[in-house]
């Protein structure tokens, strides 16, 4: 006779992820609202920063070309998704972690859907310059490059932490992730294809997707252990 199933106690990681998701959701909604209503102080700050960085980009063609290579090839959303796909295959083939592989793929897909949905809903115009140094398509908010890099790097960092990699590997991974997430956001503003608040929005929303994905994974983990113990 089986005893009635009892919900497992909340894990510290689960509570932390839920709390962080709440904070990030609040910040994301606030910024989204300010962008949607075109709050004057935000629009003014976006314009001032963008005009300054665009002037620098025009005056520094070598650095601008380097930014284009980084943003179009190294930190491009499709490069990030390809990296995620490689990790998904590795999780299935080497670790037989099918649930985690599915979870990772769905979380990245969710991030892309949220990003595209918000772009269509907000429909914010991109900066327009008389002497552009780069071009981009679709609406501006949120930055797809910044959001995708945040989602992919954040999820992969969490997986590395969960699998207990060595200190040297962990420090290297954190450094690469931070440089990638921050760097891709800066290149989008430098190249004049995004307003600064587009990038901040991408970072916030990407971090929110990561926090929600970790919360879902941590909720599933105790259930899997309970099922294994009852079998």
């Amino acid at each position: 006779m089986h005893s009635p199933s009892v919900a497992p106690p909340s894990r510290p990681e689960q509570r932390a992820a839920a709390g962080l998701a709440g904070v990030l959701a609040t910040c994301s909604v606030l910024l989204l609202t300010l962008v949607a209503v075109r709050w004057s102080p935000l629009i003014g700050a976006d314009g001032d920063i963008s005009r300054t960085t665009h002037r620098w980009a025009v005056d520094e063609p070598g650095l601008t070309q380097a930014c284009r290579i980084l943003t179009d090839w190294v930190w491009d959303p499709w490069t990030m998704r390809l990296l995620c796909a490689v990790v998904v295959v590795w999780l299935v083939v080497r670790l037989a972690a099918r649930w985690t592989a599915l979870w990772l793929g769905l979380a990245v897909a969710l991030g892309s859907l949220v990003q595209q949905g918000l772009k269509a809903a907000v429909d914010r115009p991109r900066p327009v310059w008389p002497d552009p140094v780069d071009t981009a398509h679709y609406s501006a908010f949120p930055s797809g490059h910044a959001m995708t890099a945040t989602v992919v790097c954040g999820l992969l960092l969490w997986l590395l932490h969960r699998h207990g990699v060595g200190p040297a590997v962990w420090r290297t991974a954190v450094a690469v992730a931070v440089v990638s997430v921050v760097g891709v956001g800066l290149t989008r503003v430098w190249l004049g294809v995004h307003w600064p608040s587009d990038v901040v929005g991408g970072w916030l929303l990407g971090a929110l997707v990561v926090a929600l994905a970790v919360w879902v994974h941590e909720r599933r983990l105790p259930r899997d252990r309970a099922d294994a113990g009852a079998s």
Side-chain angles (χ1 to χ4, degrees), residues 133-187:
V133 297
D134 201 359
T135 59
H137 305 289
Y138 309 113
S139 300
F141 186 91
S143 166
H145 282 69
M147 186 170 175
T148 303
T150 303
V151 171
V152 172
C153 291
L155 292 174
L156 295 186
L157 274 181
W158 184 78
L159 284 175
L160 286 174
H161 174 72
R162 184 170 176 267
H163 284 279
V165 296
V169 174
W170 174 248
R171 286 193 294 267
T172 301
V174 170
V176 170
V178 170
V179 169
S180 298
V181 171
V182 175
V184 73
L186 295 179
T187 62

Side-chain angles (χ1 to χ4, degrees), residues 19-201:
L20 180 59
V23 173
L24 290 169
T26 301
C27 295
S28 298
V29 170
L30 176 59
L31 179 58
L32 174 60
T33 302
L34 295 178
V35 169
V37 302
R38 297 187 58 80
W39 189 52
S40 295
L42 177 66
I43 301 303
D46 274 344
D48 291 342
I49 295 171
S50 295
R51 282 188 291 272
T52 300
T53 54
H54 179 69
R55 185 170 64 250
W56 293 343
V58 172
D59 292 341
E60 300 289 342
L63 181 55
T64 298
Q65 180 61 24
C67 287
R68 292 185 66 178
I69 293 172
L70 288 170
T71 199
D72 291 341
W73 295 99
V74 180
W75 296 324
D76 182 76
W78 284 108
T79 303
M80 292 291 167
R81 292 173 188 134
L82 178 61
L83 173 61
C84 174
V86 171
V87 175
V88 165
V89 173
W90 180 77
L91 286 169
V92 172
V93 174
R94 296 296 299 273
L95 300 183
R98 293 180 178 83
W99 151 246
T100 299
L102 177 64
W103 163 85
L104 176 60
L106 289 177
V108 174
L110 173 64
S112 297
L113 289 174
V114 170
Q115 170 213 133
Q116 294 300 324
L118 286 176
K119 280 182 179 291
V122 178
D123 196 24
R124 187 186 197 185
R126 291 180 183 267
V128 177
W129 309 105
D131 49 352
V133 297
D134 201 359
T135 59
H137 305 289
Y138 309 113
S139 300
F141 186 91
S143 166
H145 282 69
M147 186 170 175
T148 303
T150 303
V151 171
V152 172
C153 291
L155 292 174
L156 295 186
L157 274 181
W158 184 78
L159 284 175
L160 286 174
H161 174 72
R162 184 170 176 267
H163 284 279
V165 296
V169 174
W170 174 248
R171 286 193 294 267
T172 301
V174 170
V176 170
V178 170
V179 169
S180 298
V181 171
V182 175
V184 73
L186 295 179
T187 62
R188 303 310 284 167
V189 177
W190 180 273
L191 294 172
V193 293
H194 273 296
W195 306 105
S197 57
D198 299 335
V199 171
V200 175

